Amino acid sequence: MDNTTKKIIDIQITQQKKLSYSEKQLQEIALHMIHYLELDDIDDWAYYQSGYESNKAKLRVNSGIEYNGETYTFYINVQILGIQRYIPSNQNAYIIRK
């Protein structure tokens, strides 16, 4: 939870039962997180695979599923750009405009 806004910025749910979300569903979940965090007034959000990035805000809102061989973990989180994960420039991007 963010100390300033008191909003959730990182969720992880782990279970043994297989989790199945399409790329479109993960995209929608990440977009809902942007709205929930009231970051939708930022006009340069671009979608790269399972996350949106804003260069103006220097943020990435990311969602996805990981499987470690035993359990499935659904996650959604907010990251500061340049800190955790690099997105290769050859991936397709979708620009979101208000």
Side-chain angles (χ1 to χ4, degrees):
M1 182 174 285
D2 179 69
N3 289 333
T4 304
T5 64
K6 304 299 183 205
K7 292 195 176 202
I8 296 167
I9 57 172
D10 191 337
I11 300 169
Q12 293 185 25
I13 301 169
T14 301
Q15 65 183 35
Q16 289 183 329
K17 183 180 175 188
K18 184 176 181 178
L19 294 167
S20 298
Y21 290 96
S22 69
E23 184 69 25
K24 182 160 179 61
Q25 289 172 314
L26 291 172
Q27 182 179 1
E28 289 174 10
I29 290 167
L31 186 57
H32 286 298
M33 185 68 154
I34 290 169
H35 293 296
Y36 163 74
L37 294 171
E38 299 176 13
L39 298 171
D40 49 344
D41 58 338
I42 299 167
D43 64 0
D44 75 328
W45 289 106
Y47 185 77
Y48 298 91
Q49 286 195 328
S50 63
Y52 284 93
E53 289 185 4
S54 167
N55 285 322
K56 287 182 182 179
K58 302 293 185 223
L59 292 174
R60 176 172 171 77
V61 178
N62 192 33
S63 65
I65 297 173
E66 294 178 350
Y67 178 63
N68 69 7
E70 294 182 21
T71 59
Y72 293 85
T73 300
F74 166 79
Y75 63 88
I76 184 164
N77 57 47
V78 179
Q79 302 168 347
I80 298 171
L81 283 180
I83 300 287
Q84 292 190 3
R85 196 171 120 169
Y86 170 73
I87 304 299
S89 61
N90 63 349
Q91 294 180 3
N92 292 332
Y94 305 92
I95 304 298
I96 303 301
R97 302 247 187 253
K98 278 181 97 173

